[in-house]
Amino acid sequence: MCLFCFSKDNLTNDEIKGKYGNAFGPYANNTDTFDISLCQTPCKEPLCCCASAACFCPVQIYMRHKVLNHVQPGSGWSNYICCQGMFGGCCCLQPGNMCESTCPVPCMCLEACICPGPAVSATSNVIRERYSLGLDEDDVRLIRCSNCLFYFSVLLSCVAMCTDCEADDVVANIVNCISDVVFLSVGGCMTAQVHHEMKIRNASSPSSELMNR
């Protein structure tokens, strides 16, 4: 797996400012981690992994509702805002001011379709924030891999603008294909990781123990 080509050492200050590092940076110093790592999810939660990758947007809508009600049971969509406010906004489009309170489900549908990356990361970070979970080795490798793909795509775009070589289009298509595969694979693993964490947290909660008695 390509993630293992990247170091598992702690993130540097520059990496925390990266595309995904900025979202996960606040949790870098937490010592606890998810019960399973990203690379363990295909074996531990194979159905969830496959379903998330195959039906990415619908699963993200379902998972956001499930996560919000895990953190605050019975809250429905009342605590929903775009990306849970974790990725900021753009101009007049600011989380919390886009009719989320009156039309949460349509807003979440748009979020999942238009911003699938921030959507899955926000759902994961809700659980990460709730239980003060930090970054495991796979998370660190993911951030480095994502930053590498991002910088490489920028470099490739610059080269394509400066040359008329047809090979640029071929290389660009290959990079885009790799990026799509990596994104769906990682997104599926992140979703399965969150699903598994909620499952074991629910099983170990006092209410669950009381019901078992």
Side-chain angles (χ1 to χ4, degrees):
M1 192 173 181
C2 64
L3 287 179
F4 290 107
C5 298
F6 297 87
S7 173
K8 63 182 180 181
D9 295 337
N10 292 337
L11 296 174
T12 64
N13 291 333
D14 289 336
E15 288 173 318
I16 290 177
K17 298 176 182 177
K19 184 178 181 182
Y20 287 97
N22 188 47
F24 292 106
Y27 313 105
N29 294 325
N30 294 344
T31 55
D32 293 334
T33 59
F34 280 97
D35 184 65
I36 57 175
S37 68
L38 290 177
C39 291
Q40 291 175 323
T41 54
C43 295
K44 299 287 187 178
E45 299 286 348
L47 292 179
C48 188
C49 265
C50 293
S52 301
C55 305
F56 196 84
C57 294
V59 170
Q60 295 314 312
I61 298 168
Y62 168 77
M63 284 298 295
R64 181 66 62 81
H65 183 267
K66 188 175 180 179
V67 163
L68 292 175
N69 284 270
H70 172 83
V71 173
Q72 187 173 346
S75 61
W77 287 99
S78 61
N79 292 324
Y80 169 76
I81 61 173
C82 183
C83 296
Q84 298 311 119
M86 296 181 180
F87 292 89
C90 179
C91 299
C92 61
L93 301 177
Q94 297 296 328
N97 297 317
M98 295 187 290
C99 300
E100 295 104 317
S101 60
T102 55
C103 305
V105 177
C107 287
M108 182 62 218
C109 291
L110 288 174
E111 177 190 329
C113 294
I114 298 175
C115 307
V120 66
S121 296
T123 299
S124 175
N125 284 350
V126 170
I127 294 297
R128 199 182 295 274
E129 183 176 341
R130 170 65 178 83
Y131 296 110
S132 300
L133 302 177
L135 304 174
D136 59 34
E137 295 177 359
D138 292 344
D139 292 324
V140 173
R141 288 186 173 116
L142 165 63
I143 293 170
R144 291 193 166 114
C145 179
S146 299
N147 285 339
C148 180
L149 283 173
F150 173 73
Y151 291 128
F152 183 66
S153 65
V154 171
L155 176 62
L156 192 62
S157 298
C158 293
V159 172
M161 288 188 296
C162 297
T163 63
D164 294 325
C165 180
E166 294 183 359
D168 292 344
D169 294 334
V170 176
V171 175
N173 289 333
I174 293 174
V175 172
N176 288 335
C177 183
I178 293 174
S179 297
D180 290 342
V181 171
V182 170
F183 173 77
L184 289 175
S185 299
V186 172
C189 290
M190 288 179 69
T191 303
Q193 186 183 53
V194 170
H195 169 73
H196 181 84
E197 190 71 23
M198 287 191 294
K199 187 166 63 175
I200 64 167
R201 296 284 181 173
N202 287 334
S204 62
S205 65
S207 59
S208 297
E209 294 176 359
L210 185 60
M211 291 177 63
N212 291 334
R213 293 177 184 174

